Amino acid sequence: DVGLQEAICASLQEAAEQRQRQKEAAQRARQPISVHPDVAETFAPFQWLSDASISFAYGRLAASNADAIAAEPGWSRSLSSSADGVHRKTSSEEVLLMDPATAFWLAAQDDPKHVDEARDALRLQDRELVLCPINDSIDRGRADAGTHWTLLVGWDRKEAKPNGGENASCFSGRFRYYNSLASNMQRGNSFSQARALASRLAGKNVQVSVGACAQQTNGFDCGVYVLLFSQIIARTFLQARSQATSSGHNSVQNHLGAPKWEDQLTLVTPKEVTGHRGLHHQVLLDSVRTVAVGA
């Protein structure tokens, strides 16, 4: 039976591809992490995270989610990070963890030509979820000069209409803003930068709504909250997409109409944040020791 033979061949090919993805995941896990020793110190207790800190953690998040997805039979999905200039991908690169320096530059960029070039480079037309760390710095020459990190999330991208005058390279979807220190919402620069960045990504002025999330209890953990929020959002989104392939129902909204990930974002505790910080700190310290021994 020709149909049966084709089905068997397809199944064997899928199994081979899955083994290859798992092999590549194992190889990535064995590769040493190359970062500056100073980055490790930013994850020490009571320290403020820098651009390099966020980039490092986003790179780890991209790799861990890609590995988890690769282990799912029949599910070839991707999550890429521009954090270290290397894209970790399996196929269509549906999720983008934006490098904080890129997010800062793009929010402040006024030249339409440069904005268009940046959107093309980010391949926004292929994305279904975009996570953008926001630094509240007002000094365009120093992204790390800010004092607070927040998070802009874009999802539910709409396809550009062929003759609707829309730029296919834009991300036209819904945008949500998360701030673990909501008391500074009105006096801070973060929300303004988030709205500016959302407009750059969409190619037009768009509405940015404020989402519900846990609140920090100190003045230094904002960056870690952004990392933990990003992890929760990415995994919730990918799980919802994965479940949609079997149920036919594709929605990331809860019964109240809010994104499902907010059910978890509001439950994040200071203890979890401290543990998340410590995990990254230990990984970096181990890496620094490994490099030192190898040298």
Side-chain angles (χ1 to χ4, degrees):
D1 184 280
V2 175
L4 178 59
Q5 290 179 343
E6 291 179 348
I8 292 174
C9 289
S11 179
L12 291 173
Q13 182 176 355
E14 179 181 314
E17 291 175 351
Q18 182 183 351
R19 287 194 299 272
Q20 179 61 28
R21 291 194 295 271
Q22 292 172 336
K23 179 180 178 181
E24 292 173 353
Q27 291 174 340
R28 284 197 298 272
R30 290 193 296 267
Q31 291 177 350
I33 303 170
S34 178
V35 293
H36 195 280
D38 288 348
V39 176
E41 292 308 310
T42 66
F43 283 100
F46 316 119
Q47 301 303 307
W48 194 79
L49 300 192
S50 64
D51 279 14
S53 314
I54 303 288
S55 295
F56 162 76
Y58 265 16
R60 290 194 70 219
L61 176 58
S64 66
N65 279 279
D67 295 347
I69 295 163
E72 297 183 20
W75 184 255
S76 179
R77 189 132 332 253
S78 70
L79 190 149
S80 70
S81 167
S82 63
D84 54 5
V86 178
H87 284 90
R88 299 167 176 84
K89 58 185 179 181
T90 55
S91 57
S92 61
E93 296 186 344
E94 290 187 349
V95 179
L96 173 67
L97 300 169
M98 187 176 293
D99 177 67
T102 300
F104 180 78
W105 175 86
L106 190 53
Q109 185 55 243
D110 295 324
D111 190 322
K113 180 181 178 181
H114 291 164
V115 173
D116 285 342
E117 291 173 348
R119 283 197 299 253
D120 288 339
L122 293 171
R123 299 171 63 182
L124 296 177
Q125 70 275 12
D126 296 329
R127 313 300 187 180
E128 298 297 335
L129 177 69
V130 179
L131 298 170
C132 311
I134 304 294
N135 184 319
D136 70 345
S137 172
I138 59 175
D139 183 348
R140 293 190 180 189
R142 290 183 57 204
D144 277 334
T147 59
H148 189 51
W149 287 105
T150 55
L151 181 66
L152 174 69
V153 182
W155 81 102
D156 195 23
R157 181 179 61 85
K158 304 297 187 299
E159 295 290 343
K161 298 178 181 178
N163 298 313
E166 297 180 353
N167 190 330
S169 68
C170 295
F171 187 96
S172 181
R174 300 173 63 186
F175 291 93
R176 201 86 156 178
Y177 175 74
Y178 296 99
N179 186 351
S180 63
L181 196 61
S183 60
N184 79 341
M185 185 75 74
Q186 300 301 323
R187 60 184 174 82
N189 189 51
S190 302
F191 190 49
S192 297
Q193 295 206 160
R195 287 187 296 183
L197 178 57
S199 296
R200 303 287 190 277
L201 297 176
K204 59 184 178 182
N205 291 329
V206 293
Q207 180 179 356
V208 178
S209 58
V210 177
C213 63
Q215 297 295 288
Q216 65 191 84
T217 57
N218 55 48
F220 49 80
D221 269 336
C222 54
V224 188
Y225 273 87
V226 165
L227 297 180
L228 197 49
F229 289 170
S230 297
Q231 176 178 299
I232 291 170
I233 293 169
R235 291 185 177 176
T236 301
F237 177 85
L238 292 170
Q239 287 170 1
R241 298 280 294 187
S242 180
Q243 293 167 0
T245 62
S246 57
S247 67
H249 177 66
N250 180 21
S251 175
V252 296
Q253 293 184 333
N254 61 21
H255 67 287
L256 297 176
K260 288 181 178 178
W261 50 72
E262 290 187 8
D263 297 340
Q264 299 179 58
L265 295 189
T266 56
L267 299 178
V268 170
T269 65
K271 183 178 180 180
E272 288 179 275
V273 173
T274 299
H276 200 68
R277 173 189 286 275
L279 176 64
H280 286 302
H281 191 212
Q282 190 60 53
V283 168
L284 281 163
L285 289 178
D286 290 345
S287 175
V288 171
R289 292 191 191 103
T290 300
V291 172
V293 171

